[in-house]
Amino acid sequence: MKIKNILVSQNAPEDIERSPYGDLKKKYSINIDFYKFFKINCTTAIDFRKTHINILDYESIVFSSTNTIDKFFELCKDMRLEMPESMKYFCATESIALYLQKYVPYRKRRVFSAKDAQVSSFYDLLIKNKAISMLIPCSQDGISPQMVSVLEENEIKYAQAVVFKIAYADLVHDVDIDKYDMIVLFSPNGVKSLQANYPDFQQGEKVFAALGTSAQQALAEAGWTAHVTAPTKEYPSLTEALDAFLKEYANRRR
């Protein structure tokens, strides 16, 4: 196995050479390409009203990604809806909770996050607050079956609110997937796009890197292995985890 070409499944930074990816390129003499695996289209106020879901009927909002936060508040703006001071927010990770400050002033007893990046900790947080009704913004694919089971087994009042729709990129015609030794993924939608484009895809010696527990879980459900993961206590960012992996790989080849 050799790591010479890496595909990052998101848009390129404005200045790649000055980004952490630029540092990796120079340090390890590798090629890094960027290509967004999917496009996110926000649900319009007109379409959302057809679902007959009243956001303010719920005592809390549950967020599992920063994308979902952006699209939820974009929808609220389109609907001219303001969140009341009493609304609570449950976030899958601390980083998501911190990102929420872009829209909501951070206050104790209002914004809550899982103790660590493990999905089980997120579910424990929801179960601990089972008496509170929950609205879960999501894509047209809905939340995971595992999460549905947790919510229903613990008799939590909840509803799924489709705040955005995913359109998968045409990877087959736009990307030479066989060229890459490593693919970097950031969400379950990136994994699903890969599956949709290549139904018979076999991982073989290809290396996967994944940011966040949801992306890692999606890879596992697809039958693929994530060799590089973040965030962890040792590597808070994915580029730090990539640096450590590439360094270890380079030392092994000597």
Side-chain angles (χ1 to χ4, degrees), residues 10-197:
Q10 66 177 11
N11 295 324
E14 288 187 9
D15 190 340
I16 296 175
E17 299 309 319
R18 292 188 179 183
S19 73
Y21 291 107
D23 294 337
L24 293 176
K25 286 175 64 177
K26 295 171 188 174
K27 190 172 181 180
Y28 299 104
S29 299
I30 55 177
N31 173 61
I32 302 179
D33 293 330
F34 297 82
Y35 190 88
K36 186 74 173 178
F37 276 24
F38 59 91
K39 182 179 179 182
I40 299 176
N41 299 312
C42 186
T43 301
T44 65
I46 293 173
D47 286 340
F48 187 77
R49 288 191 179 100
K50 293 176 183 177
T51 67
H52 303 293
I53 291 175
N54 184 356
I55 292 173
L56 299 185
D57 281 347
Y58 296 85
E59 300 167 275
S60 67
I61 311 295
V62 179
F63 291 118
S64 57
S65 73
T66 56
N67 272 333
T68 308
I69 291 175
D70 285 335
K71 298 309 175 185
F72 175 77
F73 283 100
E74 187 176 335
L75 173 63
C76 288
K77 183 178 179 180
D78 191 21
M79 296 177 68
R80 299 180 182 178
L81 183 67
E82 291 188 11
M83 292 295 100
E85 291 289 325
S86 60
M87 186 66 76
K88 291 180 170 59
Y89 303 90
F90 299 115
C91 302
T93 65
E94 184 180 3
S95 62
I96 293 172
L98 292 172
Y99 185 83
L100 184 59
Q101 294 181 66
K102 180 178 176 181
Y103 301 96
V104 176
Y106 186 88
R107 293 191 183 96
K108 288 184 178 179
R109 300 188 180 181
R110 190 181 184 193
V111 178
F112 306 85
S113 62
K115 291 181 179 180
D116 54 50
Q118 299 300 314
V119 69
S120 57
S121 295
F122 179 39
Y123 294 156
D124 287 342
L125 173 66
L126 301 183
I127 294 169
K128 183 179 178 181
N129 293 277
K130 61 186 294 184
I132 299 173
S133 59
M134 302 176 184
L135 183 67
I136 309 174
C138 58
S139 73
Q140 77 271 28
D141 293 333
I143 60 177
S144 70
Q146 182 183 12
M147 188 173 183
V148 170
S149 294
V150 169
L151 294 167
E152 294 186 352
E153 286 173 8
N154 289 278
E155 300 181 344
I156 297 174
K157 179 185 176 183
Y158 77 98
Q160 301 184 52
V162 176
V163 298
F164 64 93
K165 294 184 178 181
I166 300 298
Y168 298 137
D170 186 356
L171 302 179
V172 175
H173 292 95
D174 295 342
V175 177
D176 180 6
I177 205 75
D178 293 330
K179 167 186 173 182
Y180 298 98
D181 311 301
M182 177 188 288
I183 300 175
V184 182
L185 297 156
F186 298 86
S187 74
N189 289 312
V191 178
K192 290 176 182 177
S193 178
L194 193 60
Q195 288 179 297
N197 277 274

Side-chain angles (χ1 to χ4, degrees), residues 218-232:
L219 278 170
E221 290 173 354
W224 302 330
T225 301
H227 298 82
V228 185
T229 60
T232 64

